[in-house]
């Protein structure tokens, strides 16, 4: 008597074998795990700024992205600006969406769950009395961020919720937002 | 006897009069100061995600950006990904650069200092043993961010340093990074 089983293998486009290999390799080579991420920027006019992301350091060497990525930021017209790009705070939300969603795909791959669609909506409250210096008790940044995922996948609602929970647990940007980071700023006159 | 004085007026393209007017107006209308910034995103393939920034709420009404801004994020090839965009953590640096630089321009305008160029380089360290789950004592996010400004302006080095210090003090993204923010994530299955 033979038993036939059909094993479907999820393909979300994430190379989990390589990631697990990296985990193995970096466990015994902690120096290689030290990355340095970079951006540079040049002020354009008014509140309009243009940033470039070109390369980074990691695995003991310098790396170039496949291309230079450029991003414009600006303030909107209701702040008497020209709205030539997303606002800087919206870019932070873009980073959070990208980090959590990549994590969902990686975790789903590792758990052999086929994803069909992963959509996120993000909203962050901010009381402008902070940045305008009206009330010193109001913080400059967000008073909180809400993220909602709608996921279509071959999995139960519980399994889908667990994907997002695991992604949060391992997300760099989620950690950057929920915990404090030291920012050291220096200036020189040209 | 007459005395002739030449008063030069800086023009950095920031409408400071409007910003000071907004501060005045929002001081007596705190409800209008409550903004909600938004982004939405759709997973593409692997670790590649595409976010859109379209509109926001503030001054008691919904607002649309002049156009929809789209941003791709991805992981780099050294993580066995396709590098179809900047990494999510680099987007956070882009947001920080945009916020501090817009602030420098606004403060310079308010202090009648003409800017000629404002360049920033940003670098953030990150130990990958965090996100890879190798060492629970290593955080997922940045271990610190260094920002260096090179500014060419009609001002002394001390005045230029003061511009950057004041921008930090009023920056939304600087506050978001240096202080914790609550991030609440929910999920639904489609």
């Amino acid at each position: 008597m033979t038993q036939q089983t059909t094993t479907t293998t999820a393909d979300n486009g994430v190379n989990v074998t390589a990631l697990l290999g990296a985990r193995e390799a970096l466990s015994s080579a902690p120096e290689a795990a030290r990355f340095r991420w970079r951006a540079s920027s040049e002020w354009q006019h008014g509140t309009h700024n243009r940033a470039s992301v070109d390369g980074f350091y990691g695995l003991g060497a310098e790396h170039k992205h496949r291309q230079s990525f450029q991003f414009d930021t600006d303030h909107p017209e209701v702040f008497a600006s020209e709205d030539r790009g997303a606002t800087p705070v919206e870019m932070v939300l873009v980073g959070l969406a990208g980090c959590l969603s990549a994590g969902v795909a990686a975790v789903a791959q590792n758990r052999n769950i086929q994803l069909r669609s992963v959509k996120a909506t993000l909203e962050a409250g901010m009381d402008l009395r902070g940045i305008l210096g009206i009330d010193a008790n109001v913080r400059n940044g967000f008073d909180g961020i809400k993220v909602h995922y709608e996921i279509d996948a071959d999995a139960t609602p519980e399994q889908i919720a667990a994907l997002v929970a695991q992604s949060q647990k391992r997300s760099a940007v989620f950690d950057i937002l929920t915990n404090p980071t030291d920012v050291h700023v220096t200036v020189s006159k040209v």
Side-chain angles (χ1 to χ4, degrees), chain A:
Chain A
M1 194 175 80
T2 59
Q3 194 182 353
Q4 289 207 321
T5 52
T6 310
T7 307
T8 47
T9 303
D11 182 9
N12 299 313
V14 180
N15 188 337
V16 165
T17 309
L19 290 176
L20 295 175
R23 178 157 73 183
E24 185 72 23
L26 294 180
S27 293
S28 51
E31 208 36 60
R34 295 193 178 279
F35 273 61
R36 291 202 289 271
W37 301 104
R38 302 188 188 117
S40 59
S41 88
E42 200 162 343
W43 170 68
Q44 303 294 306
H45 181 254
T47 51
H48 177 203
N49 198 53
R50 181 167 296 151
S52 298
V53 170
D54 299 298
F56 56 91
Y57 176 88
L59 307 179
E62 291 291 332
H63 300 275
K64 282 275 176 201
H65 279 292
R66 288 204 312 177
Q67 60 169 98
S68 173
F69 299 111
Q70 316 255 312
F71 303 101
D72 286 27
T73 53
D74 199 358
H75 289 178
E77 290 175 322
V78 294
F79 295 174
S81 281
E82 291 178 353
D83 198 29
R84 294 184 184 275
T87 64
V89 293
E90 288 164 332
M91 295 305 265
V92 172
L93 297 180
V94 168
L96 179 61
C99 199
L100 289 175
S101 300
V104 166
V107 176
Q109 187 63 42
N110 196 34
R111 296 181 180 180
N112 199 32
I113 293 172
Q114 182 64 49
L115 298 174
R116 279 185 294 268
S117 81
V118 180
K119 292 181 186 175
T121 50
L122 300 91
E123 186 173 274
M126 195 174 123
D127 186 333
L128 246 61
R129 291 179 301 165
I131 58 171
L132 288 173
I134 293 172
D135 186 340
N137 294 317
V138 175
R139 69 177 289 189
N140 295 326
F142 296 147
D143 52 32
I145 303 174
K146 284 183 280 187
V147 183
H148 182 66
Y149 271 97
E150 289 194 350
I151 297 179
D152 183 8
D154 290 331
T156 65
E158 293 71 25
Q159 289 172 321
I160 288 174
L163 291 181
V164 177
Q166 180 62 20
S167 173
Q168 270 178 263
K169 198 177 159 191
R170 293 265 69 88
S171 165
V173 178
F174 183 85
D175 175 53
I176 288 168
L177 296 178
T178 54
N179 294 297
T181 300
D182 181 59
V183 181
H184 185 65
V185 185
T186 53
V187 193
S188 59
K189 183 182 196 298
V190 179

